[in-house]
């Protein structure tokens, strides 16, 4: 994917606040704070650091609803996601393109929202669909089923998927195993957040899978997801962030002088904490971006891959040191990227809708028409976009030389809010002549740089 970047390139669309249906959060994310007990009014996590919908106190569940679920009860947010045509086309192709797999099957839609995936499942021939929705959007979903003539097939269930039960006897559902709960043939869900894991809805999906899906023949839509990272050129936006940070610090200096001269109080003792806050906000927070394809400076590296039939709750908690694929090694060739600098890294994900690949699922139905969704720059707009992690100082590319970036990426949940993540990026850079072997003579070697970014 390495390509040139020039002044004629379209500008990236960048912002801190989640656009297009991904909600903002009221709880600040601070990577440097100590552990806070989950009983606090300002913590959106259980004592174990899990999302509160499972094993959380009523207080924790109420906080989680107020800070996460409530926005999904708004048709405005649903509309913005439904208007993402890359998203919609992938799910529609996966479901309607594999109608033979859905025919006469029991389907569960986890987090149905407006209910459109459940409607498609019914239209594809499912004999029974359970559309699970925690918020009051469930009422709109019921209306949608009736308006589209599938209310006799789709049962909308309002509640957390961790808490609900299916009407086994009423609908004569037949389990595959000894567990009476495992009666679902297919689970469909649009659970993915920014850089895949943000929002931590994967926890709920895994619990639903383990409780309701037939273990040997059941299917997950999507079936596999993959996270990617790449160095990028996004210098204009990086400079804007630095300029805003500088402006904030200048304002603080003027404020301190004014407060002392007018009111006789010296506020300078707070300067270090104020600077830390502003640095976290302006420089060490990831940004949503719609990057042009030529902003990508090297072949993207896979940093995590999930098989949705076998991934665990531990997998959902992030990317940890020592995990497979956490280390990266990029070669950025200056002659292939004229006029570019390395401004930072960007992360995104892909989702596959294909046949099972795990050993236990060898008897599961095969998908004759696999589908694919990418949220990378090469695929154009999606409401997920890419998450951009700007460097505090850019790395120049020297004509006739190759810059090598070696490092690692870790991603862990915020202690204050289990639905948000911090991302630690550690890297070092070297330069060598173009054409020199990867481990050949080095012209320049930089030190190790490490930053922890908030993914707000």
């Amino acid at each position: 994917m390495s390509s040139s970047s020039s002044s004629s390139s379209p500008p990236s669309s960048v912002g801190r606040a989640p656009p297009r249906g991904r909600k903002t959060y009221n709880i600040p994310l601070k990577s440097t704070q100590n552990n806070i007990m989950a009983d606090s009014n300002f913590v959106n996590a259980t004592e174990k650091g899990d999302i509160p919908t499972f094993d959380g106190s009523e207080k924790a569940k109420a906080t989680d609803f107020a800070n996460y679920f409530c926005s999904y009860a708004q048709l405005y947010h649903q509309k913005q996601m439904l208007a993402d045509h890359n998203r919609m086309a992938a799910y529609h192709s996966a479901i309607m393109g594999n109608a033979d797999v859905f025919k006469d099957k029991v389907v569960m839609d986890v987090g149905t929202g407006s209910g459109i995936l459940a409607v498609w499942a019914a239209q594809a021939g499912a004999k029974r669909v359970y559309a699970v929705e925690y918020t009051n959007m469930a009422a709109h979903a019921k209306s949608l089923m009736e308006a589209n003539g599938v209310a006799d097939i789709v049962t909308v269930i309002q509640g957390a998927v961790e808490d609900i039960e299916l009407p086994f006897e009423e609908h004569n559902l037949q389990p595959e195993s000894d567990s009476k709960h495992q009666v679902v043939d297919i689970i469909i869900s649009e659970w993915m957040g920014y850089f895949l894991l943000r929002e931590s809805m994967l926890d709920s999906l895994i619990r639903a899978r383990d409780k309701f899906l037939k273990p040997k023949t059941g299917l997950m839509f999507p079936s596999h997801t993959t996270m990617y990272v790449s160095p990028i050129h996004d210098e204009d936006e990086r400079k804007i962030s630095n300029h805003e940070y500088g402006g904030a610090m200048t304002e603080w200096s003027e404020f301190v002088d004014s407060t002392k001269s007018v009111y006789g109080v010296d506020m300078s003792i707070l300067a270090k904490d104020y600077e830390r806050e502003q640095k976290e906000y302006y420089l060490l927070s990831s940004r949503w971006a719609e990057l042009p394809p030529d902003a990508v400076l090297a072949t993207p590296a896979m940093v995590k891959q999930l098989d949705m039939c076998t991934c665990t709750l531990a997998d959902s908690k992030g990317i940890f040191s020592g995990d497979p694929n956490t280390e990266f090694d990029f070669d950025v060739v200056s002659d292939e990227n004229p006029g570019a600098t390395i401004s930072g890294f960007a992360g995104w994900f892909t989702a596959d809708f294909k046949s099972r690949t795990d050993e236990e699922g060898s008897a599961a139905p095969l998908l004759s028409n696999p589908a694919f969704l990418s949220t990378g720059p090469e695929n154009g707009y999606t409401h997920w976009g890419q998450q951009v992690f700007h460097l505090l100082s850019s790395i120049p590319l020297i004509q006739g030389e190759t810059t090598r970036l070696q490092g690692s990426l870790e991603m862990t949940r915020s202690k204050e809010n289990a639905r948000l993540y911090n991302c630690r990026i550690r890297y070092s850079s070297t330069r060598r002549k173009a054409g020199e072997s990867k481990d050949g003579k080095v012209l320049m070697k930089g030190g190790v740089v490490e930053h922890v970014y908030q993914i707000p």
Side-chain angles (χ1 to χ4, degrees), residues 51-255:
I51 60 172
T53 47
F54 180 80
D55 202 28
S57 67
E58 291 306 312
K59 190 174 185 178
K61 289 181 179 180
T63 300
D64 193 36
F65 186 88
N67 287 283
Y68 174 62
F69 285 105
C70 63
S71 73
Y72 286 102
Q74 300 173 355
L75 285 170
Y76 170 79
H77 286 281
Q78 294 292 328
K79 170 185 164 295
Q80 301 308 323
M81 291 184 288
L82 295 171
D84 178 347
H85 292 293
N86 278 318
R87 168 190 185 267
M88 296 290 283
Y91 276 88
H92 186 263
S93 177
I95 296 171
M96 303 307 291
N98 293 283
D100 58 317
V101 171
F102 280 81
K103 184 174 175 55
D104 297 329
K105 294 297 194 299
V106 176
V107 178
M108 174 180 281
D109 179 7
V110 177
T112 195
S114 64
I116 193 167
L117 301 186
V119 171
W120 288 342
Q123 292 175 343
K127 70 176 180 181
R128 182 67 59 183
V129 181
Y130 298 103
V132 184
E133 173 59 33
Y134 193 19
T135 76
N136 289 335
M137 184 58 61
H140 294 303
K142 289 180 181 178
S143 298
L144 199 72
M145 303 310 149
E146 294 169 359
N148 285 272
V150 295
D152 59 326
I153 299 172
V154 181
T155 300
V156 178
I157 302 174
Q158 184 170 3
V161 74
E162 292 89 343
D163 298 332
I164 62 116
E165 296 293 342
L166 298 182
F168 307 105
E169 296 181 359
E170 179 184 348
H171 292 161
N172 193 29
L173 302 179
Q174 301 299 317
E176 180 182 77
S177 62
D178 293 336
S179 171
K180 70 174 184 178
H181 296 282
Q182 293 176 323
V183 296
V184 173
D185 297 294
I186 301 171
I187 290 179
I188 55 178
S189 181
E190 196 276 76
W191 57 270
M192 301 86 77
Y194 290 143
F195 204 10
L196 188 66
L197 296 180
R198 181 186 179 273
E199 297 184 28
S200 299
M201 188 180 164
L202 180 55
D203 290 35
S204 298
L205 188 70
I206 290 173
R207 294 187 191 280
R209 179 200 68 193
D210 291 348
K211 181 176 180 179
F212 295 113
L213 188 69
K214 294 179 179 179
K216 295 181 180 179
T217 60
L219 297 173
M220 298 290 290
F221 279 58
S223 59
H224 302 76
T225 53
T226 307
M227 300 171 66
Y228 292 95
V229 67
S230 176
I232 59 160
H233 173 73
D234 191 37
E235 196 61 10
D236 288 347
E237 293 298 334
R238 191 193 70 81
K239 288 180 177 178
I240 288 173
S241 293
N242 275 271
H243 178 74
E244 291 175 341
Y245 169 68
M249 295 312 300
T250 298
E251 288 179 1
W252 170 262
S253 180
E254 294 174 353
F255 161 76

